[in-house]
Amino acid sequence: MAIPRPLRALAIVSAFLLFYLLFQAFRTPPTIHGPGDLEHELPNEPTLQEYGEPPPPLWRADGYAADNPDSPRINATLLALVRNEELDGMLVSMRDLERTWNSKFNYPWTFFNDVPFSEDFKRLTQMETKAKCNYELIPKEHWAVPSWINSDLFDESAKMLEEQEVQYGPMVSYHQMCRWNSGMFYKHPALQDVRYYWRVEPKVHFFCDIDYDIFRWMNDHNKTYGFTINLYDAPQTIPTLWPETEKFMAAHPEYLHENNAREWVVDSKRRPEHNIKAHGYSTCHFWSNFEIADMGFWRSKPYEDYFEHLDRAGGFFYERWGDAPVHSIALGLFEDKSKIHWFRDIGYQHIPYFNCPKSPKCRGCVTGRFTDGERFLFKEDCRPNWFKYVGMD
Ligand code: GDP
Ligand code: MN
């Protein structure tokens, strides 16, 4: 029996309409937005999921007394590069980290400076912890501007960076600091026999009680690198970092890890203009003022060769390459991405960004809040990309 034509058309249209309505009703709301939506993006949903401690046993034990020579502590240190003038800010950071974590474990602190630490600095920082504090001078050859950097060219480049409103562009010491954090700190004789470090800057905050030994967790779970915040970088600080990386990779294709996070490194979908200005790099990086890591990675041949290549290329001075994008690109290419861990349980702030988990163990930050700065800063969060390409562990 033939169905009249108008009726058939109506049936098809209704079927499509029904399908569309059902699809709309059941689809999950998108967490990755197009670039146009970024300014209105709400804090990451994942940070709002409650997250407790790893399952027992918790590794908090009396054996961690500061003076116990048989302590179960593993080979690690808290690490801070800091200036004498930043003493007050350093005390703020120490107070928070000792209260929430280190007073239970007593890992030593190691402070680094390009000039000798003042007596006040040593006395007052040591008063914040039962653990041992070490005060180390950076060898001249680790801090000095390398011989192949041309000072006229540096001055010229500094002017250009200034015109592009790159923060700290003309400040030589900032460039030296970025280079030292990229490729020098782990070569300091004081760290020769140390494996893991937790980097701490002055004036940062920690909000959540952590009752397990973070370093042991890294060790037992075979992790290389831990982060809290993932950000976009200012592309004008790194125009040739990715092109130099590509040159390096062309010469060393064997360094690319088979389980790498390259897709995260080169993403161009979420913030296309950043990728374009950085010539192929998303600019997404682990915000390195917080890092918990295994120095074995920085000491490995792929990373050493990479740093050497970048150092010779001059971008630490002629541009303003940060240690964060350098570390991040290297990790994204040479490391097994399953060895990189988001510490969602560590509540952290370095102005103007936060990682603030939902947990009864946290005090002093607003759950899920990414920034307390201007609204436009919300779009700087690129954790959604990390979750998209790598996952949440
Ligand atoms: P920002 O976080 O990028 O704004 O840069 P900071 O001024 O916080 O510097 C990053 C880290 O390097 C901080 O721990 C500073 O204390 C440290 N730092 C920066 N420049 C110097 C320097 O010239 N000498 C020393 N000893 N530490 C520095
Ligand atoms: Mn800082």
Side-chain angles (χ1 to χ4, degrees), residues 81-83 86 113-114 143 168 173-174 177 201-202 350:
L81 169 73
V82 56
R83 293 168 280 221
E86 294 173 299
N113 197 344
D114 55 312
W143 190 260
Y168 310 120
S173 66
Y174 195 87
M177 178 275 286
E201 281 201 4
H350 174 298

Side-chain angles (χ1 to χ4, degrees), residues 128-146:
E128 294 295 331
T129 176
K130 305 188 287 300
K132 185 170 190 310
C133 292
N134 307 302
Y135 302 92
E136 305 293 342
L137 186 63
I138 297 171
K140 286 259 177 303
E141 65 275 20
H142 284 185
W143 190 260
V145 178

Side-chain angles (χ1 to χ4, degrees), residues 66-87:
D67 54 0
N68 178 7
D70 302 317
S71 154
R73 268 187 295 272
I74 59 167
N75 191 358
T77 188
L78 298 168
L79 186 156
L81 169 73
V82 56
R83 293 168 280 221
N84 284 310
E85 311 85 85
E86 294 173 299
L87 169 62

Side-chain angles (χ1 to χ4, degrees), residues 319-392:
E319 295 177 9
R320 209 215 63 199
W321 296 351
D323 52 284
V326 171
H327 282 180
S328 303
I329 290 175
L331 286 159
L333 299 181
F334 314 147
E335 187 50 293
D336 180 337
K337 66 185 178 197
S338 73
K339 294 188 175 189
I340 302 173
H341 177 66
W342 176 43
F343 276 107
R344 66 164 86 179
D345 51 341
I346 301 183
Y348 179 69
Q349 178 200 21
H350 174 298
I351 290 171
Y353 302 114
F354 292 81
N355 180 58
C356 187
K358 179 176 182 179
S359 161
K361 291 192 156 218
C362 305
R363 258 163 298 135
C365 63
V366 178
T367 300
R369 174 185 273 185
F370 174 65
T371 179
D372 58 357
E374 301 278 328
R375 233 187 125 58
F376 70 87
L377 293 177
F378 275 102
K379 69 176 182 306
E380 302 304 324
D381 186 1
C382 73
R383 274 175 304 193
N385 259 5
W386 181 257
F387 303 144
K388 173 180 172 184
Y389 292 116
V390 182
M392 252 177 283

Side-chain angles (χ1 to χ4, degrees), residues 89-150:
M90 199 65 235
L91 297 179
V92 166
S93 304
M94 287 184 80
R95 223 161 273 161
D96 269 15
L97 190 50
E98 286 289 331
R99 187 190 71 249
T100 54
W101 185 68
N102 198 43
S103 57
K104 303 156 209 170
F105 299 99
N106 294 302
Y107 276 95
W109 286 83
T110 310
F111 298 96
F112 291 95
N113 197 344
D114 55 312
V115 299
F117 280 110
S118 68
E119 288 310 311
D120 265 2
F121 189 97
K122 293 190 219 175
R123 188 172 54 84
L124 292 167
T125 47
Q126 182 64 78
M127 278 171 68
E128 294 295 331
T129 176
K130 305 188 287 300
K132 185 170 190 310
C133 292
N134 307 302
Y135 302 92
E136 305 293 342
L137 186 63
I138 297 171
K140 286 259 177 303
E141 65 275 20
H142 284 185
W143 190 260
V145 178
S147 58
W148 57 87
I149 298 298
N150 177 309

